[in-house]
């Protein structure tokens, strides 16, 4: 699959041993108090090629809070249920603003720029809330089916912790409601959003769940979750919007469609080749995992396997 013969296990061992020495690991997100308690020393990587054995290193099987990474899963489910109608209520353009930038909903008459900024993710949650009979249970079932893993669950402590501190998200949802782009109640949609963000998964579970995005929409069990065209679009949105105001920097350094979360996780996809998940809870100035980005940059450089 590579332009050159690559021994992935030794590449990952090298990256892990180099980066694990680093004293500066960034700062854990403390605006969600429960996340502030996480040990910044955690570090794990899980690499899953499309047609070969996976490789994991470090804390790759320890579950952590996936936070905004859930926005990709939520968008995938909305694409399944609503098809192209979804794009009437949310755009597909990058913002170059932080994930929680408030005025994004004002710019386009209540149409958020993309589904990954919080305003857009809240609109997607609202759509799912209208479609699903039991939103929390049904969404979890969707994720479990996607990954063929029934052990995946929400972390209720993280959910409660974010819920009691979500003032900015409350403002965003209220703004969306006032601009007629939220059909359900502000509290109901926020509640569902916080639940999704509290999903707890390991790097190994992430790479398993995101297999469908490197495989034209089919998961590891061969079930079609999205059409190849929808998978292409979702990867495109990850590439252009997955890192908010650091999307250019991430493409420049790593060169893969990817999504980050403030829990310190990153999932990156090389369509038709591999997906790779990293976890290191310390974040850089722009709120993305410091070691995770460095690990992915080393990986695509050493293997020569980026999309560019
Ligand atoms: O809305 C929030 O603040 C969080 N639940 C999710 C933030 C997040 O992970 C942003 N992405 N990197």
């Amino acid at each position: 699959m590579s332009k050159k013969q690559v021994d992935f296990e030794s590449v990952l061992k090298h990256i892990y041993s180099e980066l694990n020495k680093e004293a500066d690991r960034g700062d854990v997100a403390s605006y969600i108090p429960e996340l502030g308690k996480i040990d910044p020393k955690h570090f794990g990587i899980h690499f899953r090629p499309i047609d070969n054995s996976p490789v994991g290193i470090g804390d790759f099987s320890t579950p952590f809070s996936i936070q905004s990474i859930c926005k990709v899963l939520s968008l995938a489910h909305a694409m399944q249920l609503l098809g192209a109608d979804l794009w009437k209520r949310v755009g597909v353009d990058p913002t170059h603003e932080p994930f929680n930038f408030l005025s994004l909903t004002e710019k386009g008459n209540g149409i958020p720029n993309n589904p990954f900024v919080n305003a857009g993710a809240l609109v997607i949650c609202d759509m799912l809330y209208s479609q699903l009979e039991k939103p929390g249970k049904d969404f979890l079932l969707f994720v479990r089916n996607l990954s063929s893993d029934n052990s995946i669950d929400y972390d209720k402590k993280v959910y409660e912790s974010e819920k009691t501190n979500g003032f900015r998200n409350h403002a965003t949802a209220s703004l969306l409601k006032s601009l007629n782009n939220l059909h359900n109640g502000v509290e109901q949609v926020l509640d569902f959003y916080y639940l999704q963000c509290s999903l707890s998964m390991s790097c190994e579970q992430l790479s398993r769940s995101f297999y469908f995005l490197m495989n034209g929409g089919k998961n590891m069990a061969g079930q079609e979750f999205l059409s190849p065209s929808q998978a292409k679009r979702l990867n495109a949105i990850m590439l252009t919007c997955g890192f908010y105001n650091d999307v250019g920097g991430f493409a420049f350094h790593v060169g893969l469609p990817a999504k980050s979360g403030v829990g310190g996780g990153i999932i990156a996809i090389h369509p038709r080749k591999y997906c790779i998940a990293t976890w290191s809870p310390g974040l850089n100035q722009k709120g993305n995992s410091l070691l995770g980005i460095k690990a992915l940059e080393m990986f695509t450089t050493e293997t020569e396997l980026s999309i560019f």
Side-chain angles (χ1 to χ4, degrees), residues 31-32 66-69 71 99-100 116 118 162 169 193-194 197-198 242 244 259-263 286-288:
Y31 78 98
I32 300 175
I66 72 165
Q67 292 297 317
S68 281
I69 297 175
K71 293 170 180 171
F99 68 92
N100 54 3
F116 293 159
N118 282 11
E162 180 162 16
N169 279 321
Y193 172 71
Y194 297 143
C197 288
S198 81
Y244 317 106
K259 185 76 202 76
S260 64
V262 292
K286 291 192 171 171
N288 301 307

Side-chain angles (χ1 to χ4, degrees), residues 18-252:
E18 281 301 303
L19 293 180
N20 216 21
K21 294 177 204 155
E22 301 236 339
D24 180 11
R25 290 173 176 244
D27 300 314
V28 294
S30 53
Y31 78 98
I32 300 175
E34 204 58 32
L35 295 185
K37 297 179 185 167
I38 307 290
D39 181 356
K41 290 213 170 63
H42 283 295
F43 183 32
I45 309 176
H46 196 260
F47 167 73
R48 190 180 294 279
I50 195 160
D51 53 5
N52 223 323
S53 312
V55 187
I57 192 148
D59 298 328
F60 70 90
S61 56
T62 308
F64 60 92
S65 187
I66 72 165
Q67 292 297 317
S68 281
I69 297 175
C70 76
K71 293 170 180 171
V72 183
L73 302 173
S74 174
L75 176 60
H77 200 17
M79 286 169 93
Q80 260 189 335
L81 298 173
L82 291 143
D85 276 355
L86 181 158
W87 305 115
K88 292 178 188 156
R89 291 177 58 193
V90 64
V92 293
D93 283 319
T95 60
H96 306 296
E97 302 289 358
F99 68 92
N100 54 3
F101 197 70
L102 203 58
S103 72
L104 293 175
T105 40
E106 288 281 19
K107 284 186 183 165
N109 276 335
I111 311 287
N113 298 55
N114 67 65
F116 293 159
V117 288
N118 282 11
L122 288 167
V123 170
I124 299 295
C125 276
D126 183 55
M127 291 178 193
L128 287 180
Y129 196 91
S130 299
Q131 292 285 321
L132 303 174
E133 205 176 315
K134 293 181 181 149
K137 270 192 175 171
D138 294 352
F139 182 71
L140 185 59
L141 189 64
F142 165 78
V143 177
R144 287 178 171 177
N145 286 340
L146 188 65
S147 54
S148 311
D149 186 340
N150 282 333
S151 71
I152 294 173
D153 214 338
Y154 300 122
D155 182 332
K156 290 288 163 57
K157 277 190 179 165
V158 172
Y159 159 76
E160 291 292 347
S161 184
E162 180 162 16
K163 194 176 151 101
T164 46
N165 289 282
F167 306 111
R168 184 173 274 265
N169 279 321
H170 206 284
T172 307
S174 300
L175 189 55
L176 285 164
K177 187 77 182 166
S178 78
L179 295 166
N180 300 316
N181 201 6
L182 217 60
H183 299 169
N184 298 285
V186 164
E187 302 296 340
Q188 293 160 317
V189 175
L190 283 172
D191 220 54
F192 186 32
Y193 172 71
Y194 297 143
L195 202 57
Q196 290 183 14
C197 288
S198 81
L199 264 178
S200 184
M201 287 164 80
S202 65
C203 290
E204 186 174 22
Q205 288 170 324
L206 272 178
S207 75
R208 178 180 278 276
S209 305
F210 279 76
Y211 185 96
F212 78 115
L213 283 181
M214 67 156 148
N215 191 37
K218 286 188 183 156
N219 72 351
M220 278 183 69
Q223 238 181 310
E224 180 164 304
F225 276 75
L226 293 181
S227 69
S229 161
Q230 285 176 317
K232 176 189 76 176
R233 296 194 195 295
L234 194 30
N235 278 315
I237 297 170
M238 286 175 84
L239 183 72
T240 53
C241 310
F243 272 68
Y244 317 106
N245 50 337
D246 197 21
V247 81
F250 188 82
F252 181 78

